Amino acid sequence: MKNKKKVYVGLSVDIIHEGHINILKIANKLGDVIVGLLTDEAIASYKNIPHLNYNRRKIIIQNIKFVKKVIPQNTLSYVPNLNIIKPDFVVHGDDWKIGVQKKTRSDVIKTLKKWSGKLIEPKYTKNISSTIIKNKILEIGSLPQNRVSRLKRLLSSKKIVRILESHNSLTGLIIEKLKIKKNNIDVEFDGMWSSSLTDSATKGKPDNSSLDFSARISSLNDMMDSTTKPLVFDADNGGQIEHIPFLIRSLERSGASAVIIEDKIGLKKNSLFKNQKGTKQDKPNIFAKKINKICNSRQSNDFMVIARIESFILGKGLNDALKRADIYSKAGADAILIHSKEKTPKEIFAFAQKFRKSKNFIPLVCVPSTYSKVYEKDLIKNGFSMVIYANQLLRAAYPAMQNAAKSILEQGRAFEVDKKIISIKEIISLIKND
């Protein structure tokens, strides 16, 4: 006779190891196993999203013989699904008694009591190599086809996607590996920003398109070789429309997830300069053709086109920016970067408030270089989905290097500066792969 007992197991993984199989085996002995598979959004609420999206993970889980059914678990909390299913048992390893899932466990116990359900907690399976699993994940994540799609998944899963400027492989590794705990949740940067400003500066050239795309993509490839996180490429105005397909193919081959192009024309002048005299903005319908060209050139629809509007930079005001946003959205842009050089986010918030009402609304991106006091929570509240910290690592590196060099000259030796810089051991630890 078929066992009618219902057993609930919550899973989030995209690489299954023997510990998960052990949990499912035990659950299967108790009854029909219903797996609540955490969605990307649920996982993103406490750590980075998995390398495989929900549908691909679901295919893996539902093909395991111990599993009767797979349903989405839309929150870290089990409670909503438990209240619907009312399982006789919930099975979970005993490793969640501490850490970020401690409260989740407590809520499960409290909820099961309503219908006399029981929590079963097998001992956590020992001797599983987390290093091997991590290396497998990194290997999957570094493939261009997986990497390209990751940014779009992050945008649909997280309240805000956090991108930090990277101007070489070492800064890419900092972004790749830096992680902090904040309110018991992992906080990290979601991806890298390849900026024309910082690329030019590191090569001692002015930020006026002196550095061609081939030189920049060569630097980008070095970063991609040593990292796995998504990369957003700053392409200035994209150059001549005829050259755009070659740029997009190169970026996709490298594994870049998005390109940002601005609607200024002519010789580039950095948008943060006060004097924008002589700087011209493209006609919106002509710029829309560039967007459309990128959309038709890309191999994957997951590769994102982000249109950067310079109306505020050039003093053209809110209505001009809104008009352009609608046109660019209809042309196929996946997101809008609204740029500002004001010291507060007032004008970009005004733009967001209006644009959110448009039927052509698409995700919003900002670069808070001049209005750096703004908190991410306020960006979220005002409808922004991505924040790009566009030049902070380069600006931090320059004074540190200059001060170190000055100290060596003044002291006639390196001892004094050694106390202010990281050790060779730490540098090697950052670079090595194991």
Side-chain angles (χ1 to χ4, degrees), residues 51-98:
H51 287 271
L52 300 182
N53 64 29
Y54 176 84
N55 289 332
R56 292 170 76 186
R57 287 184 286 126
K58 182 179 178 181
I59 290 169
I60 293 169
I61 302 299
Q62 68 188 8
N63 279 287
I64 297 173
K65 67 178 180 179
F66 307 114
V67 176
K68 179 78 173 177
K69 186 178 180 183
V70 179
I71 63 171
Q73 184 171 310
N74 295 308
T75 63
L76 181 58
S77 171
Y78 286 39
V79 173
N81 278 3
L82 296 186
N83 280 329
I84 294 169
I85 297 166
K86 294 184 170 53
D88 301 283
F89 303 100
V90 169
V91 181
H92 194 290
D94 64 356
D95 56 313
W96 68 341
K97 292 180 179 179
I98 56 172

Side-chain angles (χ1 to χ4, degrees), residues 280-308:
K280 294 181 180 178
Q281 202 170 12
D282 212 348
K283 292 179 180 177
N285 289 325
I286 293 177
F287 187 73
K289 290 180 180 178
K290 280 189 175 181
I291 295 170
N292 192 252
K293 190 75 169 177
I294 296 173
C295 292
N296 291 333
S297 302
R298 63 188 174 186
Q299 297 297 304
S300 169
N301 286 332
D302 288 331
F303 181 84
M304 296 183 65
V305 188
I306 303 175
R308 172 170 148 181

Side-chain angles (χ1 to χ4, degrees), residues 128-170:
I128 293 176
S129 173
S130 58
T131 301
I132 292 173
I133 293 170
K134 180 183 175 184
N135 287 341
K136 285 181 180 178
I137 292 173
L138 290 176
E139 186 181 322
I140 293 168
S142 61
L143 293 174
Q145 62 266 35
N146 289 317
R147 194 168 189 162
V148 168
S149 64
R150 198 162 175 80
L151 183 66
K152 189 170 272 192
R153 287 180 57 211
L154 283 162
L155 274 171
S156 65
S157 305
K158 299 191 71 171
K159 289 182 179 177
I160 195 159
V161 174
R162 191 181 292 111
I163 304 293
L164 180 63
E165 165 258 319
S166 174
H167 54 270
N168 57 26
S169 298
L170 191 60

Side-chain angles (χ1 to χ4, degrees), residues 7-244:
V7 189
Y8 189 82
V9 177
L11 289 176
S12 66
V13 292
D14 52 357
I15 290 184
I16 298 291
H17 58 64
E18 61 188 89
H20 302 122
I21 297 298
N22 185 47
I23 292 290
L24 292 171
K25 275 183 181 177
I26 292 168
N28 182 59
K29 289 176 183 177
L30 297 168
D32 290 340
V33 178
I34 302 168
V35 170
L37 186 61
L38 271 68
T39 60
D40 286 0
E41 293 85 350
I43 296 169
S45 69
Y46 72 101
K47 64 179 182 180
N48 208 350
I49 62 171
H51 287 271
L52 300 182
N53 64 29
Y54 176 84
N55 289 332
R56 292 170 76 186
R57 287 184 286 126
K58 182 179 178 181
I59 290 169
I60 293 169
I61 302 299
Q62 68 188 8
N63 279 287
I64 297 173
K65 67 178 180 179
F66 307 114
V67 176
K68 179 78 173 177
K69 186 178 180 183
V70 179
I71 63 171
Q73 184 171 310
N74 295 308
T75 63
L76 181 58
S77 171
Y78 286 39
V79 173
N81 278 3
L82 296 186
N83 280 329
I84 294 169
I85 297 166
K86 294 184 170 53
D88 301 283
F89 303 100
V90 169
V91 181
H92 194 290
D94 64 356
D95 56 313
W96 68 341
K97 292 180 179 179
I98 56 172
V100 68
Q101 288 194 293
K102 185 177 178 181
K103 185 181 184 305
T104 304
R105 176 181 181 270
S106 175
D107 290 342
V108 166
I109 292 169
K110 194 184 298 182
T111 305
L112 286 171
K113 281 181 179 177
K114 295 178 186 176
W115 54 84
S116 301
K118 188 176 179 183
L119 174 62
I120 307 295
E121 296 178 295
K123 285 189 176 182
Y124 186 78
T125 306
K126 295 180 180 179
N127 301 320
I128 293 176
S129 173
S130 58
T131 301
I132 292 173
I133 293 170
K134 180 183 175 184
N135 287 341
K136 285 181 180 178
I137 292 173
L138 290 176
E139 186 181 322
I140 293 168
S142 61
L143 293 174
Q145 62 266 35
N146 289 317
R147 194 168 189 162
V148 168
S149 64
R150 198 162 175 80
L151 183 66
K152 189 170 272 192
R153 287 180 57 211
L154 283 162
L155 274 171
S156 65
S157 305
K158 299 191 71 171
K159 289 182 179 177
I160 195 159
V161 174
R162 191 181 292 111
I163 304 293
L164 180 63
E165 165 258 319
S166 174
H167 54 270
N168 57 26
S169 298
L170 191 60
T171 51
L173 283 169
I174 291 171
I175 295 166
E176 181 82 11
K177 298 187 176 185
L178 182 64
K179 187 182 292 185
I180 65 166
K181 283 283 186 188
K182 200 171 179 181
N183 300 323
N184 227 6
I185 292 172
D186 288 340
V187 179
E188 60 189 300
F189 291 101
D190 298 299
M192 301 172 286
W193 165 244
S194 175
S195 157
S196 64
L197 166 63
T198 57
D199 273 1
S200 299
T202 54
K203 289 178 173 58
K205 295 189 175 183
D207 183 29
N208 60 4
S209 301
S210 298
L211 202 64
D212 63 25
F213 285 135
S214 60
R216 291 196 55 210
I217 288 171
S218 176
S219 299
L220 180 151
N221 284 331
D222 288 340
M223 284 193 287
M224 302 303 254
D225 283 344
S226 55
T227 61
T228 65
K229 289 190 174 181
L231 183 137
V232 180
F233 187 84
D234 170 22
D236 294 330
N237 64 16
Q240 296 295 319
I241 194 167
E242 295 83 5
H243 300 158
I244 281 176

Side-chain angles (χ1 to χ4, degrees), residues 364-376:
L364 289 174
V365 182
C366 68
V367 182
S369 296
T370 55
Y371 49 96
S372 57
K373 286 184 178 180
V374 68
Y375 286 102
E376 290 170 3

Side-chain angles (χ1 to χ4, degrees), residues 337-394:
L337 193 164
I338 182 67
H339 208 27
S340 172
K341 58 181 177 180
E342 294 298 310
K343 293 191 182 298
T344 74
K346 185 177 177 181
E347 66 181 8
I348 68 159
F349 285 174
F351 171 87
Q353 184 180 7
K354 294 276 189 182
F355 186 49
R356 286 166 83 181
K357 296 175 183 175
S358 169
K359 65 180 180 180
N360 299 309
F361 177 76
I362 48 179
L364 289 174
V365 182
C366 68
V367 182
S369 296
T370 55
Y371 49 96
S372 57
K373 286 184 178 180
V374 68
Y375 286 102
E376 290 170 3
K377 63 182 180 180
D378 294 318
L379 293 174
I380 295 167
K381 193 187 301 180
N382 282 276
F384 284 85
S385 302
M386 184 191 300
V387 56
I388 298 173
Y389 298 102
N391 46 48
Q392 281 76 12
L393 289 190
L394 181 65

